[in-house]
Amino acid sequence: MKRKHKSLSMVEKVELLKKLGKGMSVKSLCEYYGIGSSTVYDLKKQRKILKFFAEHESRNSLIARKTLEGARSSELDSALIKWFKLRRSEGLLSISGEMLMEQARIFHKELNLTYQCEYSQGWLQKFKCRYGISLHKVSGEKRNADTEAAANFVDEFAKIVATEKLLPEQVYNADETALSWYRMPRKTLAQDIEAAPVGGKDCKDRV
């Protein structure tokens, strides 16, 4: 039977090369990874994969990656990831995909790049994949719930219902909706190598 074509991820390619370097036979590697011997010999010639892997910051992003193909402009890519890291180090709590795309357009003009690029969602996904960037929820201030006050209110509420002889259909909950116009979003883009993003106290300015 003809063997089904299999594409190895960057992580698998690095593992294969390391095993090959330690003396594991080509036949054993073919059986383990389900590939042909020609694939092993081709990878053996691509020693730059090991250098690429060693220099890459995020290992998680390499799990799904299968080629060494980089950005169309390494200069823009370098400027954008430096900008992203700087904004994160300054404590900017929320960086969205739209902000990254807009900053890429700015760098495109500043670098006088001649090719056309829309910097769409497709471009954004590839950029995030290259640098192990994903969407994270920003943790707010940690506070313990006042369970004692909640338990006391249950007893107090039961007394009110009994005293006023309220029926179930007379008991309901009402709430309000407010626009916190100065509050930062609770999600941000961050690299996988970062610690979980932690926010501060939310601004209460609202309508």
Side-chain angles (χ1 to χ4, degrees):
M1 293 179 62
K2 186 176 180 180
R3 183 179 60 255
K4 186 177 179 180
H5 176 73
K6 180 181 179 181
S7 297
L8 300 179
S9 69
M10 292 298 297
V11 172
E12 289 175 320
K13 290 177 180 179
V14 171
E15 290 176 348
L16 186 151
L17 288 174
K18 288 182 177 180
K19 289 177 181 178
L20 187 63
K22 292 179 179 179
M24 192 170 182
S25 67
V26 173
K27 182 179 179 181
S28 298
L29 290 169
C30 291
E31 292 176 352
Y32 183 84
Y33 290 100
I35 57 177
S37 58
S38 60
T39 302
V40 177
Y41 288 118
D42 287 341
L43 288 174
K44 189 177 180 180
K45 300 175 184 177
Q46 301 178 34
R47 288 291 175 177
K48 58 183 180 179
I49 293 177
L50 295 175
K51 183 176 182 295
F52 175 83
F53 185 83
E55 294 175 349
H56 211 279
E57 294 180 346
S58 174
R59 297 294 184 265
N60 292 335
S61 65
L62 296 176
I63 295 176
R65 189 166 183 172
K66 297 183 179 181
T67 68
L68 294 176
E69 182 182 359
R72 192 169 182 179
S73 170
S74 58
E75 194 176 5
L76 185 144
D77 234 41
S78 177
L80 188 58
I81 192 60
K82 286 180 181 177
W83 175 88
F84 178 79
K85 290 179 179 179
L86 180 61
R87 296 287 84 80
R88 294 288 302 139
S89 66
E90 290 175 343
L92 184 58
L93 293 182
S94 181
I95 300 178
S96 65
E98 287 72 18
M99 291 171 67
L100 271 177
M101 290 188 287
E102 182 58 29
Q103 189 60 43
R105 296 185 186 103
I106 293 173
F107 283 141
H108 187 105
K109 293 180 180 179
E110 291 180 349
L111 294 171
N112 296 318
L113 299 178
T114 56
Y115 66 87
Q116 298 294 320
C117 182
E118 296 296 328
Y119 295 103
S120 61
Q121 287 293 332
W123 170 89
L124 177 64
Q125 291 303 318
K126 292 179 181 178
F127 179 81
K128 291 195 298 182
C129 181
R130 284 196 295 274
Y131 294 99
I133 297 174
S134 55
L135 194 63
H136 294 257
K137 184 176 180 180
V138 179
S139 301
E141 292 184 319
K142 297 181 179 179
R143 295 184 298 176
N144 294 324
D146 194 343
T147 55
E148 183 179 353
N152 293 336
F153 179 74
V154 171
D155 296 333
E156 181 182 347
F157 183 70
K159 291 178 182 178
I160 294 174
V161 172
T163 302
E164 299 296 331
K165 298 180 180 180
L166 299 176
L167 300 175
E169 56 267 26
Q170 293 176 295
V171 180
Y172 59 92
N173 178 67
D175 209 339
E176 63 184 8
T177 299
L179 172 62
S180 299
W181 65 275
Y182 205 61
R183 183 177 178 181
M184 293 294 292
R186 305 309 299 167
K187 290 185 178 181
T188 183
L189 292 175
Q191 287 188 288
D192 297 335
I193 58 176
E194 294 184 50
V198 178
K201 187 175 181 180
D202 289 326
C203 182
K204 300 299 182 182
D205 293 6
R206 61 184 179 178
V207 177

